[in-house]
Amino acid sequence: MEGRPRLAPGGAFPPFHARPSMAEPQSWVRVGSSTGGETSAALEEALSQLDLPGPGKLLVVMAAPRYDLQVVSDGRQLALPDCPRIGCSSSGEIASSGALTQSLVLWVLGGTGVRVSTGWGTHDVGHGLRQAAFKAAQCLERLERRAHTVLMLLSDGLGGDQMEVVRGAYDVAHVDVPLVGGCAGDYLAMRRTHQFHGSRVMSGAVVAAAISSDRPLGVGVSHGWTPMSEPMLVTGSKATRLSSLDDRPALQVYLDFFQPPPPVRSDPQAFADFAATHPIGIRRRDKIEMRHITGFDAERGDLITVAEVPQGALAFLTAGSVDSVLGAAAQSCRSALESLGGEPAAGLLLFDCVARRSLFEEERMQEETELIRRSSGGAPMGGFYTYGEIGRTKGAGGFHNQTLVTLAIG
């Protein structure tokens, strides 16, 4: 594309054309971003950065909720009319330039060896997250399969037990297809998140993109939190409430172990701030999955989590630091890149927990994204800060908190 896309009469974007090329790569990624405050101007700026070498096969949009999300959706449709589109609202965004705040990011995937199919499902009374994810994941059945396949899921981060999203997707993908993705956010307002599919803007939804490629697709998952306690048996839990550990009230166990300052014991905000760096870990065979603690019920002695801590599981109380979180970012990136068999990455898509971002002071905010940029050789990258992450390559589980999930496009 030459120059910036200008709005046509009536406020519509003109169709966005790829740069003519006689040798389009098998796979490629392009990323555009803007921190502009006005929606149409932000779209215009982000689109101006996309120098596409061929037709886009998938557009993923990650947008701060301050934008007019319907305008974002409509503008994308008019600018890239033949490109399948999914996306969500976020709690911070990532572009090749680094970690962003209150911004708009467009991540475009294409290539002669890439095939994509998209889907969506909503959850309401009688149709929960599992059914919504199952419906969205059925896009796999319409996909023209190549050598390597992955299923990406973006869900309503306030919609309930997010492990149900993994279960619904697994009902379609089974053990053969890796899962990646994240939960939409609203900059910690905790009121409403949004999901996009085509020109449709929804809440209470799961949207999905099944990606298949002739070239490898790598997935990396790492968190950087260290178990501090001995393993404890989860003796009481239901959905997002953890009631007891080793037959003792979970809240009391948590407070007795960490001995936090007095405000943490009574003030919900002080407790949430403390819990952001002291999550619960669950043993899953060869790994530990994290669960973010969002609050407590003092009367019942429960801890409230983003996703299920299953009864009968072994759980750990954990802690971490800026250095351990940075180390985990490097490990997530390395794991994804190693799956490419030594080939350079065409691009990265990152699903990073907003609780990890909260660890960084302003002056250290860019360290994580700079580390990833160096590790990947400067490959184009995009992503967002989530209310939970999805990453499964094998085994049980697949929903995470306070974790970085990396998708590397070979």
Side-chain angles (χ1 to χ4, degrees), residues 163-176:
M163 190 59 203
E164 290 292 277
V165 175
V166 175
R167 294 187 179 108
Y170 186 83
D171 288 342
V172 180
H174 306 298
V175 298
D176 303 321

Side-chain angles (χ1 to χ4, degrees), residues 64-385:
R66 69 168 175 158
Y67 293 111
D68 185 326
L69 301 181
Q70 190 62 63
V71 169
V72 171
S73 179
D74 292 343
R76 287 182 295 114
Q77 183 179 23
L78 293 170
L80 292 162
D82 300 320
C83 184
R85 300 165 303 280
I86 67 168
C88 64
S89 59
S90 52
S91 291
E93 301 75 42
I94 299 169
S96 296
S97 58
L100 303 176
T101 301
Q102 297 291 347
S103 68
L104 170 70
V105 174
L106 306 178
W107 186 90
V108 186
L109 170 67
T112 59
V114 173
R115 299 293 183 268
V116 174
S117 177
T118 65
W120 63 278
T122 57
H123 66 89
D124 50 30
V125 177
H127 297 85
L129 276 173
R130 184 167 184 165
Q131 182 61 30
F134 177 83
K135 182 180 177 183
Q138 286 179 313
C139 62
L140 271 170
E141 299 173 355
R142 302 186 294 273
L143 180 67
E144 180 187 331
R145 293 287 189 97
R146 316 297 275 197
H148 308 276
T149 302
V150 69
L151 178 65
M152 182 196 312
L153 301 146
L154 306 176
S155 72
D156 179 358
L158 304 177
D161 181 3
Q162 297 295 316
M163 190 59 203
E164 290 292 277
V165 175
V166 175
R167 294 187 179 108
Y170 186 83
D171 288 342
V172 180
H174 306 298
V175 298
D176 303 321
V177 179
L179 307 178
V180 298
C183 301
D186 63 351
Y187 271 81
L188 299 177
M190 298 296 179
R191 289 192 291 267
R192 191 180 190 191
T193 75
H194 293 86
Q195 300 76 47
F196 309 136
H197 184 271
S199 60
R200 183 182 288 107
V201 180
M202 301 168 282
S203 289
V206 178
V207 298
I211 302 169
S212 204
S213 176
D214 290 332
R215 292 176 57 79
L217 302 169
V219 178
V221 181
S222 190
H223 54 73
W225 305 99
T226 302
M228 305 299 290
S229 71
E230 294 296 319
M232 294 174 285
L233 185 66
V234 178
T235 49
S237 70
K238 184 176 182 181
T240 58
R241 282 182 173 264
L242 173 57
S243 302
S244 62
L245 294 165
D246 286 344
D247 289 321
R248 295 180 57 215
L251 175 60
Q252 196 60 51
V253 171
Y254 189 82
L255 296 175
D256 286 350
F257 183 84
F258 285 119
Q259 292 295 310
V264 172
R265 298 173 176 272
S266 57
D267 180 68
Q269 187 57 57
F271 182 89
D273 292 342
F274 181 84
T277 56
H278 298 82
I280 293 280
I282 309 169
R283 170 65 68 187
R284 295 281 197 190
R285 294 185 181 177
D286 60 340
K287 61 183 181 291
I288 295 178
E289 285 184 3
M290 307 314 298
R291 291 290 182 266
H292 179 52
I293 301 169
T294 61
F296 63 90
D297 183 330
E299 184 175 346
R300 295 177 53 174
D302 293 352
L303 293 172
I304 301 172
T305 59
V306 168
E308 176 190 44
V309 179
Q311 191 158 319
L314 288 178
F316 302 82
L317 304 182
T318 77
S321 66
V322 169
D323 288 340
S324 69
V325 166
L326 289 173
Q331 180 59 54
S332 178
C333 186
R334 279 197 302 269
S335 297
L337 294 172
E338 286 169 0
S339 300
L340 304 185
E343 294 292 323
L348 304 178
L349 188 56
L350 307 170
F351 306 94
D352 201 354
C353 186
V354 68
R356 289 166 57 87
R357 178 171 175 150
S358 67
L359 282 177
F360 298 104
E361 300 293 337
E362 188 63 35
E363 60 270 18
R364 302 195 68 180
M365 184 65 71
Q366 300 301 330
E367 287 191 37
E368 184 178 48
T369 50
E370 179 58 32
L371 186 155
I372 294 168
R373 184 187 299 110
R374 292 197 305 269
S375 299
S376 66
M381 66 179 180
F384 71 103
Y385 292 93

